[in-house]
Amino acid sequence: MKKLVLLGGGYGNMRVLRELLPHHLPEDWTITLIDKVPYHSLKTEYYALAAGTVSDQDVRVSFPEESKLNVQYGEVTHIDLDEKLVHVAHSEPVSYDQLVIGLGCEDKYHNIPGADLYTHSIQSIGKARDTYQKLNNLSANSVVSIVGGGLSGIELASELRESRPDLTIKLFDRGKTVLSSFPERISLYVQNWFASNGVEVVNEANITKVEEGVLYNNDQPVSTDVIVWTAGIQPNKIVQAMDIEKDRQGRAILTPYHNIPQHEEVYVVGDCASLPHAPSAQLAEGQAEQIVEVMRKRWNGQPLPEEMPSIKLKGTLGSLGKKKGFGMMADRPITGRIARILKSGVLWMYKFHKG
Ligand SMILES: Cc1cc2nc3c(=O)[nH]c(=O)nc-3n(C[C@H](O)[C@H](O)[C@H](O)COP(=O)(O)OP(=O)(O)OC[C@H]3O[C@@H](n4cnc5c(N)ncnc54)[C@H](O)[C@@H]3O)c2cc1C
């Protein structure tokens, strides 16, 4: 039997599984999925897990149970492209005939002293749980600073506002307004929501140093009880350590068929891949569909298209607590309750395999 090995059971590889099983995997192939966590984790909801507004179980989805799928739990430590081996902590190395690397991303601290030591994270389920503990154990009227006013910082700040009305929440953002790459209507809507809900947005922030309980904005100290970092991401360290060509963000540069050059047997999906759009779950899934299309054509001895079509994205949706939201759908800005309902609908469809 030949072996397709999937590293990481995130949005990208879950889509690979859903496209291949049960009917589209050739008779003589099996799949091994390796993840350090024993379920698929809904990373897009980690802001709510950290804020304490959803339970741990709400952000887990079981891996599929199929006779041709072997799920192995363990931490990948190294990928050996020459020997076609994946090294896993405390286990024998796993060999592969084909590999899809979908290990997601981690925080990027931009070399800011102390940021890696004194801030909390929502980039993995374990870290989001730790952040939940820190935030929810805070005594009344404590101060929380969130660094980074992108989608995840905004969602965390607003969800925490609803979860803990007693806290002072500060959101530090580099731009003149939050979401400065979105249409003005959206950034103003979000900025106004924060103003009317008592979240202090610090625009044009420049965090220069972090110490225990102190954040330095433009070198001015800001006392704070908990600091959460949402100000940048980079690919998983396993991919960072690979001796392959990478883009400026450290993501793997791929052929049009999503392979590592000179390694037609190795695909990279999701946040670890250099793609022409910002990383997102939606992008990881769209790319995974193309990867499966390429795999199936190769298995069937069919020619590949000269060019792969661009990956179609449906839009972006963000939440402002449980009642309000914002986003871009088909290039049109939407705000308010309808955006929030749409976001909940997308999550429901994803969880119950309707999307
Ligand atoms: C708060 C927040 C909100 C977001 N909201 C949205 C949104 O609304 N829409 C959207 O499209 N995107 C959103 N994103 C981005 C989205 O979550 C990611 O782009 C997406 O998860 C990437 O998918 P992936 O398959 O590359 O990796 P992931 O889904 O991150 O999966 C990686 C998997 O690899 C496993 N893994 C990692 N390291 C190892 C290792 N060494 N050994 C074994 N297993 C390992 C992990 O356990 C995980 O299961 C959000 C992100 C955050 C943090």
Side-chain angles (χ1 to χ4, degrees), residues 142-287:
S142 298
V143 179
V144 173
S145 292
I146 298 167
V147 183
L151 184 64
S152 48
I154 285 172
E155 291 191 316
L156 177 63
S158 52
E159 197 80 7
L160 188 61
R161 169 76 304 148
E162 288 190 354
S163 172
R164 288 286 307 265
D166 62 293
L167 297 176
T168 295
I169 303 172
K170 297 172 193 261
L171 178 63
F172 292 84
D173 184 47
R174 282 188 88 94
K176 283 202 168 106
T177 62
V178 288
L179 297 174
S180 44
S181 61
F182 281 66
E184 197 183 8
R185 180 181 145 193
I186 303 245
S187 41
L188 280 180
Y189 180 81
V190 173
Q191 196 99 6
N192 286 339
W193 189 95
F194 283 134
S196 51
N197 286 274
V199 172
E200 185 188 336
V201 179
V202 182
N203 295 120
E204 299 184 302
N206 179 22
I207 304 305
T208 46
K209 189 166 67 165
V210 187
E211 290 171 350
E212 176 89 66
V214 191
L215 188 68
Y216 289 82
N217 179 28
N218 290 308
D219 296 324
Q220 296 304 308
V222 180
S223 286
T224 185
D225 295 292
V226 170
I227 306 164
V228 187
W229 193 261
T230 60
I233 55 167
Q234 58 187 341
N236 189 297
K237 61 176 181 298
I238 304 298
V239 170
Q240 288 181 48
M242 289 175 79
D243 186 15
I244 55 172
E245 208 187 333
K246 298 179 199 126
D247 67 12
R248 281 175 54 202
Q249 285 79 34
R251 300 172 303 192
I253 291 180
L254 303 174
T255 69
Y257 307 113
H258 309 293
N259 296 121
I260 292 179
Q262 276 82 56
H263 288 278
E264 210 174 78
E265 73 288 1
V266 182
Y267 301 81
V268 182
V269 72
D271 291 355
C272 295
S274 180
L275 294 169
H277 303 281
S280 71
Q282 220 188 123
L283 181 65
E285 290 184 89
Q287 190 201 3

Side-chain angles (χ1 to χ4, degrees), residues 8 10-12 35-36 44 74 76 102-104 152 236 270-271 280-282 343:
Y11 290 86
D35 202 299
K36 58 186 178 183
T44 60
V76 174
L103 293 168
S152 48
N236 189 297
D271 291 355
S280 71
Q282 220 188 123
K343 186 171 166 83

Side-chain angles (χ1 to χ4, degrees), residues 7-14 34-48 63 72-78 88 101-106 122-125 151-153 155-156 230 233 236-238 269-273 278-285 287 315-319 343:
L7 303 185
Y11 290 86
N13 273 332
M14 280 297 272
I34 305 177
D35 202 299
K36 58 186 178 183
V37 178
Y39 35 77
H40 168 50
S41 311
L42 300 178
K43 187 169 187 177
T44 60
E45 305 310 300
Y46 288 176
Y47 71 92
F63 289 130
Q72 180 175 335
Y73 302 121
E75 175 146 12
V76 174
T77 54
H78 174 66
V88 181
I101 303 170
L103 293 168
C105 68
E106 56 192 46
I122 55 169
Q123 284 302 334
S124 73
I125 191 159
L151 184 64
S152 48
E155 291 191 316
L156 177 63
T230 60
I233 55 167
N236 189 297
K237 61 176 181 298
I238 304 298
V269 72
D271 291 355
C272 295
S280 71
Q282 220 188 123
L283 181 65
E285 290 184 89
Q287 190 201 3
T316 308
L317 287 167
S319 63
K343 186 171 166 83

